[in-house]
Amino acid sequence: MTKYPIKSPGRPSAFDDMMKPDITEQILEKIAEGISDHEIYKAMHSSAFTFKKWRDANAKAYDEAKSIARSNMLSLAESALKAKMSRRVLTETETIYEADGKTIKGYKVKTKEYDIDTNASIFVAKAGKPTLYDPVNFAKVKEVEIGAGELRKAIEETRRYDLDKYDTPSGIEAPTDF
């Protein structure tokens, strides 16, 4: 019986290629750009496990690249929110061509004015005072207000009863253990 060399099962791992400095740098650039881990390892024809091994081997650089991506996302979100918190005008220009499709006949300009986005305003208000706009606390405040109103009604109702108007009944004795 002849023995053949045993090859490792499955496809070759991309880990060795991923550990090359130039490839590692490219991966870190993609991560800093905000591309997800899943998209990166699928584009490299690698498995999630292999990417996790690479990530663990390059933990510090990976974390730095992720923090850059998060910072970029936050600044992008802040600028978009800031744009929605002010009135803005959008100008659309449409080019009108002659029948031949080459000669420009003229331009059609449309101007749209956008008001402040209500959802963005609510978001900013909630972010500024989260306890004030917290729905749970808001419901509790409403319950307290409703309870206080009912208590006020009960107090007003008891004020109508003046105990001086009533005579103390005679012949009734209170129980001794009372």
Side-chain angles (χ1 to χ4, degrees):
M1 187 168 185
T2 332
K3 293 197 174 193
Y4 297 102
I6 299 174
K7 290 185 176 181
S8 62
R11 64 181 175 178
S13 175
F15 182 74
D16 294 333
D17 290 336
M18 292 170 76
M19 289 304 290
K20 292 178 183 173
D22 57 329
I23 302 293
T24 296
E25 190 61 36
Q26 289 177 10
I27 294 170
L28 291 172
E29 286 174 11
K30 296 296 181 190
I31 291 169
E33 289 173 9
I35 297 174
S36 72
D37 295 354
H38 181 263
E39 290 175 287
I40 293 170
Y41 71 74
K42 285 297 176 191
M44 296 185 71
H45 305 289
S46 167
S47 68
F49 180 75
T50 303
F51 188 82
K52 185 179 181 314
K53 275 180 27 181
W54 174 87
R55 186 183 69 203
D56 292 344
N58 297 286
K60 186 176 180 184
Y62 176 84
D63 291 341
E64 288 173 5
K66 274 292 187 186
S67 68
I68 291 169
R70 285 186 197 105
S71 173
N72 291 342
M73 290 288 235
L74 284 174
S75 63
L76 181 64
E78 285 175 352
S79 64
L81 188 62
K82 194 180 283 187
K84 288 187 173 214
M85 288 297 296
S86 60
R87 289 181 179 257
R88 54 203 188 283
V89 176
L90 178 68
T91 305
E92 295 176 353
T93 306
E94 181 182 341
T95 306
I96 303 169
Y97 293 95
E98 293 287 344
D100 62 0
K102 295 179 183 177
T103 312
I104 297 175
K105 185 177 184 180
Y107 298 98
K108 189 176 185 182
V109 179
K110 293 180 188 175
T111 306
K112 292 182 183 178
E113 188 172 319
Y114 292 97
D115 209 2
I116 296 172
D117 190 339
T118 307
N119 289 334
S121 302
I122 292 169
F123 179 78
V124 169
K126 283 183 177 183
K129 295 207 180 244
T131 55
L132 181 62
Y133 295 99
D134 180 24
V136 174
N137 287 338
F138 190 71
K140 286 180 184 176
V141 168
K142 283 288 190 190
E143 286 177 17
V144 168
E145 287 176 358
I146 290 169
E150 290 175 6
L151 182 62
R152 189 175 298 117
K153 286 179 189 174
I155 292 171
E156 293 294 327
E157 193 173 316
T158 57
R159 285 186 184 160
R160 289 189 294 159
Y161 299 107
D162 187 6
L163 297 178
D164 293 336
K165 294 180 187 175
Y166 300 99
D167 294 331
T168 306
S170 58
I172 299 176
E173 292 182 24
T176 55
D177 58 339
F178 187 63

